[in-house]
Amino acid sequence: MQKSLRIPALILALLIVVWITSCGKDDGGKIINDFIFNGTDYTIDGGVIYDYGAVNYVDIGDATHYNYDFIIYDGEADFQAEVFNGSFVAYAELLSFGADAFKSGVFTFIREPSLSNVDGQNYFQSVTISVDGNGNQSIFQTTEDMQNDLIYVVVGGTITVIDNGGNNFTLNYNAEVQQVDRENEELIPDTNQSIAFGVTLDFPIEDQQVSGGRVRNSKLFSRHK
């Protein structure tokens, strides 16, 4: 693991989900977290949860939601050291209604959250995935990476979270994505496609809460605006 995970903030703000298709079980009943993208088969090797605690991301009032960020990836990752070797990283910022704890359920994409449209709702505004486009098992680390690696953005749909106990979660994506033009930081017209994939993993939980509150943009991955 030699490649740094440090990714320019403007690019991080655009990382989102790609076309993904399957998650099944082998003959022994073990969950196999596979997906196919552009004819290439990827296997999800691991994940982590960043626990940001009780938050309010729409105004400066009291906390209304509880924020877990679910990260899944192939290859190897050390997010504390910001080191990653692999061909994709997916990042989902999910907010469950209520400030006491994160609750599983169905999370709906809301493009412009407000007090009125997130009240009582589980939602997300930012879900991300970056894909290795040149086969060197790194993402956004080299000049070649910057020219070839792929970014898509969720523009609609849902993510369902099932808490299986013991920090084991199932995530089911059912959403619409759109490709990003990284050079111009814009969505590319007519690149919309649907996604449907599932993953079940043991997720270690990392406490990212800051005493007295936290700065919203201090996350490793910024939000897409």
Side-chain angles (χ1 to χ4, degrees), residues 49-70:
I49 292 171
Y50 284 173
D51 178 359
Y52 285 100
V55 299
N56 180 341
Y57 290 155
V58 298
D59 68 7
I60 60 174
D62 293 337
T64 58
H65 288 72
Y66 202 100
N67 178 196
Y68 266 11
D69 286 5
F70 289 83

Side-chain angles (χ1 to χ4, degrees), residues 47-124:
V48 65
I49 292 171
Y50 284 173
D51 178 359
Y52 285 100
V55 299
N56 180 341
Y57 290 155
V58 298
D59 68 7
I60 60 174
D62 293 337
T64 58
H65 288 72
Y66 202 100
N67 178 196
Y68 266 11
D69 286 5
F70 289 83
I71 307 168
I72 57 175
Y73 55 87
D74 72 344
E76 298 178 312
D78 182 344
F79 288 96
Q80 292 294 331
E82 297 186 353
V83 174
F84 172 73
N85 284 342
S87 56
F88 85 96
V89 177
Y91 199 122
E93 177 189 88
L94 304 182
L95 296 109
S96 68
F97 182 69
D100 55 337
F102 183 85
K103 302 177 184 68
S104 58
V106 178
F107 294 76
T108 302
F109 173 75
I110 297 179
R111 188 181 302 275
E112 297 181 358
S114 67
L115 282 179
S116 60
N117 64 20
V118 303
D119 184 33
Q121 299 294 318
N122 297 332
Y123 78 97
F124 63 90

Side-chain angles (χ1 to χ4, degrees), residues 30-221:
K30 179 181 178 182
I31 295 293
I32 300 176
N33 300 309
D34 288 341
F35 69 88
I36 297 173
F37 173 64
N38 284 349
T40 300
D41 186 19
Y42 299 91
T43 298
I44 298 168
D45 295 313
V48 65
I49 292 171
Y50 284 173
D51 178 359
Y52 285 100
V55 299
N56 180 341
Y57 290 155
V58 298
D59 68 7
I60 60 174
D62 293 337
T64 58
H65 288 72
Y66 202 100
N67 178 196
Y68 266 11
D69 286 5
F70 289 83
I71 307 168
I72 57 175
Y73 55 87
D74 72 344
E76 298 178 312
D78 182 344
F79 288 96
Q80 292 294 331
E82 297 186 353
V83 174
F84 172 73
N85 284 342
S87 56
F88 85 96
V89 177
Y91 199 122
E93 177 189 88
L94 304 182
L95 296 109
S96 68
F97 182 69
D100 55 337
F102 183 85
K103 302 177 184 68
S104 58
V106 178
F107 294 76
T108 302
F109 173 75
I110 297 179
R111 188 181 302 275
E112 297 181 358
S114 67
L115 282 179
S116 60
N117 64 20
V118 303
D119 184 33
Q121 299 294 318
N122 297 332
Y123 78 97
F124 63 90
Q125 185 185 17
S126 177
V127 175
T128 75
I129 194 171
S130 55
V131 178
D132 176 17
N134 55 12
N136 68 345
Q137 293 295 295
S138 71
I139 298 172
F140 299 118
Q141 308 305 309
T142 68
T143 300
E144 186 179 356
D145 289 344
M146 300 297 287
Q147 295 171 345
N148 294 285
D149 291 346
L150 303 173
I151 301 172
Y152 288 71
V153 179
V154 167
V155 293
T158 63
I159 297 173
T160 301
V161 178
I162 302 170
D163 185 350
N164 302 310
N167 292 351
N168 184 279
F169 290 87
T170 298
L171 304 179
N172 289 314
Y173 288 70
N174 186 2
E176 180 184 0
V177 300
Q178 192 169 356
Q179 189 174 353
V180 173
D181 177 345
R182 291 184 287 108
E183 182 177 356
N184 297 311
E185 300 174 16
E186 297 177 349
L187 299 178
I188 301 174
D190 302 320
T191 59
N192 298 61
Q193 54 186 322
S194 297
I195 66 162
F197 86 100
V199 53
T200 299
L201 289 172
D202 291 325
F203 286 87
I205 299 178
E206 305 224 0
D207 187 356
Q208 302 292 321
Q209 300 178 55
V210 177
S211 178
R214 59 179 295 281
V215 177
R216 180 61 187 82
N217 62 3
S218 67
K219 285 188 174 182
L220 175 64
F221 288 76

